Amino acid sequence: MFDSPFDVFALIIAIIAFLIAIKASSQAAELRRRLSSLEEMFYAQRQVQPPPLMPAPVQTEAPATAPAEPPPLAPEPEPAPSPPVAADVSPPPLEAGLEAGAPPPLPAPAPGFEERLGTRWVVWIGGLALALGGFFMVRYSIEAGLLGPGVRVFLGGLFAVALLGAGEWTRRKEAISSMQALPIANIPAILTAAGTAVAFATIYAAYALYGFLVPATAFVLLGLVALGTLAAALLHGPALAGLGVVGAFVTPILVSSDKPDYWALYIYLAIVTAASFGLARIRLWRWLAVTTIVFAVLWIFPGLDAAELQVAPHAFHVIAGFVLAALLVVCGFMFGPGIEDGEIEPVSSSALGAYLFGAMLIVLSSVHADLALIAFTLLVAGTLFVAWRAPAATGALGAAAATVFIVFAEWAVRANPDMLVLPGGPMPGIGPTATDGAVTLHLVTAAIFAAGFGIAGFLAQGRSNSAIIPVVWSAAGVATPIAILVALYARIAHLDRSIPFAILAVLLAAAFGAATEALTRRETRPGGAISTALFATGTLGALALALTFALEKGWLTIALALMSLGTAWISMQRPIPFLRWLAAIFAALVTARIAYDPRIVGDAVGTTPILNWLLWGYGLPALSFWAASVFLRRRADDAPLRMVETAAILFTALLAFMEIRHFATGGRMTAAPSLLEFALQACITLAMAIGLERLRLRSRSIVHNVGAVVLTAIAGLISVFGLLILENPLLWHTDVGGAVFNLLLLGYALPAVLMLLLSYAVVGERGKVYANTIAGGALVFALAYVTLEIRRFYHGPILSTGPTTGAEQYTYSIGWLAFGVVLLGVGILVNSERARLASAAVIALTILKAFVIDMSTLTGVYRALSFMCLGVVLVAIGWLYQRILFRRQVAPPPAAPQPGA
């Protein structure tokens, strides 16, 4: 562990210096690579188009009509004059110093090991050593008791000033001598960084170790050092900027207090953020802006979990940061960097989205306090305004829409019945009387958000030459009003029938329909087709919601499934790829809806078998997804189609499972499983697997292929763990029913037949091991049925009670033997090798039982009959194999030779 805080500082400084060195090295390597590529391009161009080696001098003094006199000492004929060169044209910079005919200079070789060691590594290590030397000197003075605390602090400050002065002196010296500093081993920058680190440590030691400074003074001094470091980064480069921004945001952690003053903290952070954003804007350092945003968002979390959250200073922090980011970071807005029109810039969008995220956290942590909700509303409105003026920040619309939905969805799930009202009193079908004024504010902000996103999403069409920007606007304009309406419906109407909300949904559908019609009549613009399809889909979605609001709450699942079908149909009329994804998204929403409540309508499922809410809640979505998959497959076999096909298979399987559970439990969906339920599930799952195996041969769909395998695996798990272990009537007290038509027939004989059919369905289409494994399962369940039926004959409907007599044991042997003989007969008649091998397995099991069980448990005539029957059957089987299956033709004897031959 560390002996003193100076060890901690030493480690921190070492880590920071190492990270700065790595980043600087990467930047230098990139600069060298770019310089080399530029030189290669220049020389390649120079070889293709060489400039004239001896340009003719320009005669500026002689008259334009005066003939040029030949050289007096030139007896040979006068050469043709060279083309004149304009007087203001100078050769390229790299070419000016080249003599005529001289080859171009080769690029400078890469620095070797010795150069790196002497010019770079030594400087890095030297800067780190200077900083650590100051720390260790103070530590030594403490351990040896040489100097008092005041002198130590004074000497530390003096050493920091000396390092800062040395950094500034070397910088000016290099500027005067026109010496170009190495970008990755800048001595002035390293000296300044070391001085800054020593200054931080000295002030912190004066505050934390010796108590010379009160928290406020230490906070101010550390902040000034950090801001000074950021200012010095204008002269010394990015490494010092990184150190300054880290120090500035870490300062509040170093100077802590039992009673934190959030106003002082966030005013200080606003100043630091402004300085950092300003520096990032001047030098165009995107990494500095991103680092500042990350630290600023992290500083939102302190105090959020407090019993009494101070909303005002937290709101000031996110609003100030949002404004500064809009002014200095967002490209193309106010003082931000320039950018090409129609391009969405990630940093610009992420900066606004980060502060929206912080405002959302404040709203959720403050339990939707009025001030927090107002601040959040201002930031969302600011996002719309900035994105409208600066297309580079259009990506922030997605963050704004998402945070709006999260805020209202979280408000919707809160169990506060006293807030379920509308302003001015309740409306029919909505809720009780108003008791909390915050509901009014929520409804007002909801109306502002819905209108703002919807109107702006429509008006933004045609304003940009880029396709993505209008699409983002239209997506936010359609999704946000629908999401807000659903959240309010869940919060106020509790997902029950509500005519007022149905009317609102119809009005919203009408607005979307009018927008769709207006966009259809406009001239074609980039992104217009997709935006039109989005508004058309919003029309369908709002109409589906109107149906949901006007009917029972289970219809929401059906409505969303019908939206998927409707969107798939629209994609046939307008082949827009986004519509295919939208159909898949609706399928995913329906899947999430049933994950939340698998019973669709809670306890109101009903008690009638089959004809209950499960049939509508799972059956109609399944039909919708199957139909949607047919429409989508006509265009392409892509990811959206596979998602919809997966949903179709899932809802079909869930419909079967849920209806079986409802039937087996008498409507008590939470009851324990039974033999009847497992038997029905195994049979239905095997039947669906057979159907998918047949379907995949025509569709060649990977979803159908994988779905068949998954259903087969599920059927295997249900059969093994459910029928053979958990609800095996031999192990548990279970009433299997009548003598022939009973649960044994349903749970063991029918699954055996279905497994056999499935094994034949996959023969030649899948691996041999896969088909044989399924056939082996069929054999096991057929043999289990024979055994359990014999048990039922001797023990009645309860198989787990009563002793096993000798007659019962003998009957098992005879029954197994007869089953084996039947399999052998079938194998011979249809020439099936698998049936004959199954017969051999059953007969081998019978032989094993005879020698292991019958010999020890049977006595008297039963033992004799058991072995006699076994022997007769084995001999007969051997005869069948010899005479029928593997009959050998005896060659006739050779004819006797004729006499005289």
Side-chain angles (χ1 to χ4, degrees), residues 679-892:
L680 291 173
Q681 287 180 350
C683 293
I684 293 297
T685 308
L686 288 169
M688 289 190 295
I690 294 172
L692 279 181
E693 289 289 350
R694 298 298 184 188
L695 179 61
R696 77 179 184 89
L697 297 179
R698 296 197 303 269
S699 66
R700 296 299 176 183
S701 170
I702 186 174
V703 175
H704 297 161
N705 187 7
V706 175
V709 175
V710 171
L711 287 176
T712 302
I714 294 174
L717 294 175
I718 295 174
S719 302
V720 173
F721 292 99
L723 297 175
L724 296 181
I725 298 177
L726 296 178
E727 292 296 331
N728 192 331
L730 285 177
L731 304 177
W732 310 103
H733 189 84
T734 303
D735 189 345
V736 299
V740 177
F741 297 100
N742 50 35
L743 291 179
L744 301 179
L745 183 67
L746 182 64
Y748 297 91
L750 186 55
V753 174
L754 291 173
M755 290 180 188
L756 183 62
L757 294 177
L758 181 59
S759 68
Y760 278 103
V762 300
V763 169
E765 299 295 334
R766 299 191 185 274
K768 188 175 182 180
V769 175
Y770 185 84
N772 289 339
T773 301
I774 299 174
L779 178 62
V780 170
F781 271 78
L783 188 60
Y785 172 71
V786 172
T787 304
L788 294 175
E789 273 294 339
I790 295 173
R791 182 85 176 171
R792 169 65 181 79
F793 176 77
Y794 282 97
H795 292 263
I798 306 299
L799 307 185
S800 59
T801 59
T804 302
T805 63
E808 183 181 349
Q809 284 287 3
Y810 174 71
T811 308
Y812 288 142
S813 299
I814 295 300
W816 291 7
L817 200 58
F819 179 55
V821 171
V822 170
L823 288 176
L824 179 60
V826 172
I828 293 174
L829 290 177
V830 300
N831 193 23
S832 173
E833 181 183 5
R834 289 203 300 172
R836 296 194 299 269
L837 292 177
S839 169
V842 173
I843 293 174
L845 184 62
T846 306
I847 295 172
L848 181 64
K849 177 182 179 297
F851 283 93
V852 175
I853 298 177
D854 293 355
M855 186 176 291
S856 59
T857 59
L858 296 181
T859 58
V861 67
Y862 288 118
R863 179 188 295 178
L865 289 176
S866 176
F867 279 90
M868 289 172 61
C869 291
L870 179 61
V872 171
V873 171
L874 292 178
V875 171
I877 290 173
W879 183 85
L880 287 174
Y881 270 85
Q882 292 179 8
R883 298 295 181 180
I884 298 178
L885 294 176
F886 300 100
R887 184 176 181 179
R888 296 182 180 180
Q889 299 291 338
V890 180

Side-chain angles (χ1 to χ4, degrees), residues 505-523:
V506 171
L507 293 177
L508 183 62
F512 285 154
T516 304
E517 184 66 18
L519 292 177
T520 304
R521 296 178 178 178
R522 292 184 180 181
E523 61 180 4

Side-chain angles (χ1 to χ4, degrees), residues 177-487:
S177 61
S178 300
M179 180 186 298
Q180 183 179 5
L182 291 174
I184 58 174
N186 195 327
I187 294 177
I190 291 177
L191 290 175
T192 305
T196 301
V198 174
F200 266 111
T202 302
I203 296 173
Y204 182 74
Y207 158 72
L209 297 182
Y210 307 124
F212 292 158
L213 302 175
V214 297
T217 304
F219 182 79
V220 172
L221 291 177
L222 289 174
L224 290 176
V225 172
L227 293 175
T229 305
L230 287 174
L234 287 171
L235 302 174
H236 294 283
L240 201 61
L243 181 62
V245 72
V246 172
F249 280 100
V250 171
T251 293
I253 300 178
L254 300 178
V255 183
S256 59
S257 175
D258 296 336
K259 296 181 179 180
D261 186 352
Y262 286 103
W263 275 112
L265 169 65
Y266 289 137
I267 290 174
Y268 163 78
L269 291 179
I271 296 174
V272 170
T273 302
S276 183
F277 281 166
L279 178 59
R281 170 63 186 91
I282 293 173
R283 288 302 186 91
L284 296 180
W285 289 338
R286 303 175 70 182
W287 65 268
L288 183 59
V290 173
T291 304
T292 304
I293 293 169
V294 171
F295 276 115
V297 172
L298 290 178
W299 271 111
I300 298 174
F301 288 92
L304 287 183
D305 56 346
E308 296 183 359
L309 173 62
Q310 299 183 24
V311 177
H314 282 79
F316 167 78
H317 177 56
V318 294
I319 292 176
F322 183 92
V323 172
L324 290 172
L327 293 177
L328 299 173
V329 176
V330 175
C331 297
F333 184 80
M334 297 300 288
F335 308 109
I339 194 173
E340 295 183 4
D341 184 26
E343 182 179 352
I344 297 179
E345 204 273 321
V347 176
S348 301
S349 302
S350 302
L352 302 183
Y355 288 104
L356 283 171
F357 172 75
M360 178 196 71
L361 291 180
I362 298 173
V363 173
L364 301 183
S365 301
S366 64
V367 195
H368 295 253
D370 290 356
L371 181 59
L373 191 59
I374 292 173
F376 176 72
T377 304
L378 291 176
L379 291 195
V380 173
T383 302
L384 293 176
F385 175 73
V386 174
W388 183 270
R389 295 290 302 273
T394 307
L397 294 175
T403 53
V404 166
F405 173 71
I406 292 173
V407 165
F408 282 93
E410 195 270 347
W411 182 65
V413 299
R414 286 185 175 274
N416 295 324
D418 57 338
M419 297 178 62
L420 303 179
V421 296
L422 278 176
M427 295 179 64
I430 290 187
T433 308
T435 57
D436 196 323
V439 176
T440 302
L441 182 59
H442 278 78
L443 294 177
V444 171
T445 54
I448 293 175
F449 288 150
F453 277 94
I455 295 174
F458 173 74
L459 296 179
Q461 305 304 311
R463 295 184 67 249
S464 175
N465 294 324
S466 173
I468 185 63
I469 291 178
V471 169
V472 173
W473 275 103
S474 59
V478 171
T480 306
I482 290 179
I484 292 175
L485 184 61
V486 172

Side-chain angles (χ1 to χ4, degrees), residues 68-79:
E69 296 183 0
L73 300 180
E76 58 270 8
E78 179 182 357

Side-chain angles (χ1 to χ4, degrees), residues 377-716:
T377 304
L378 291 176
L379 291 195
V380 173
T383 302
L384 293 176
F385 175 73
V386 174
W388 183 270
R389 295 290 302 273
T394 307
L397 294 175
T403 53
V404 166
F405 173 71
I406 292 173
V407 165
F408 282 93
E410 195 270 347
W411 182 65
V413 299
R414 286 185 175 274
N416 295 324
D418 57 338
M419 297 178 62
L420 303 179
V421 296
L422 278 176
M427 295 179 64
I430 290 187
T433 308
T435 57
D436 196 323
V439 176
T440 302
L441 182 59
H442 278 78
L443 294 177
V444 171
T445 54
I448 293 175
F449 288 150
F453 277 94
I455 295 174
F458 173 74
L459 296 179
Q461 305 304 311
R463 295 184 67 249
S464 175
N465 294 324
S466 173
I468 185 63
I469 291 178
V471 169
V472 173
W473 275 103
S474 59
V478 171
T480 306
I482 290 179
I484 292 175
L485 184 61
V486 172
L488 293 180
Y489 168 69
R491 181 66 177 87
I492 297 175
H494 280 294
L495 300 181
D496 288 330
R497 183 172 177 269
S498 175
I499 298 301
F501 274 103
I503 295 174
L504 290 177
V506 171
L507 293 177
L508 183 62
F512 285 154
T516 304
E517 184 66 18
L519 292 177
T520 304
R521 296 178 178 178
R522 292 184 180 181
E523 61 180 4
T524 303
R525 293 296 301 271
I530 300 178
S531 297
T532 304
L534 285 174
F535 278 101
T537 305
T539 305
L540 290 176
L543 290 175
L545 287 178
L547 179 65
T548 302
F549 298 158
L551 301 175
E552 298 295 333
K553 60 185 180 181
W555 287 98
L556 176 60
T557 304
I558 299 173
L560 292 175
L562 293 176
M563 288 170 64
S564 178
L565 174 59
T567 307
W569 180 80
I570 293 177
S571 70
M572 290 291 299
Q573 312 304 318
R574 294 179 178 271
I576 301 172
F578 182 75
L579 288 179
R580 302 175 64 86
W581 278 106
L582 197 59
I585 291 173
F586 284 136
L589 291 176
V590 178
T591 305
R593 168 71 177 86
I594 64 165
Y596 171 72
D597 185 6
R599 296 177 296 176
I600 306 295
V601 289
D603 296 330
V605 175
T607 57
T608 305
I610 307 300
L611 299 177
N612 48 53
W613 246 106
L614 296 174
L615 179 62
W616 314 117
Y618 285 97
L620 290 180
L623 288 176
S624 299
F625 295 147
W626 282 114
S629 66
V630 172
F631 288 136
L632 296 177
R633 180 167 289 280
R634 294 178 182 177
R635 291 288 182 183
D637 185 359
D638 52 3
L641 169 64
R642 294 166 188 170
M643 292 176 63
V644 175
E645 286 181 339
T646 302
I649 296 173
L650 176 63
F651 271 79
T652 304
L654 289 177
L655 171 63
F657 291 157
M658 297 299 289
E659 286 285 10
I660 288 171
R661 180 150 189 80
H662 182 275
F663 172 75
T665 60
R668 294 176 287 113
M669 304 295 290
T670 59
S674 62
L675 178 61
L676 174 62
E677 181 178 353
F678 281 136
L680 291 173
Q681 287 180 350
C683 293
I684 293 297
T685 308
L686 288 169
M688 289 190 295
I690 294 172
L692 279 181
E693 289 289 350
R694 298 298 184 188
L695 179 61
R696 77 179 184 89
L697 297 179
R698 296 197 303 269
S699 66
R700 296 299 176 183
S701 170
I702 186 174
V703 175
H704 297 161
N705 187 7
V706 175
V709 175
V710 171
L711 287 176
T712 302
I714 294 174

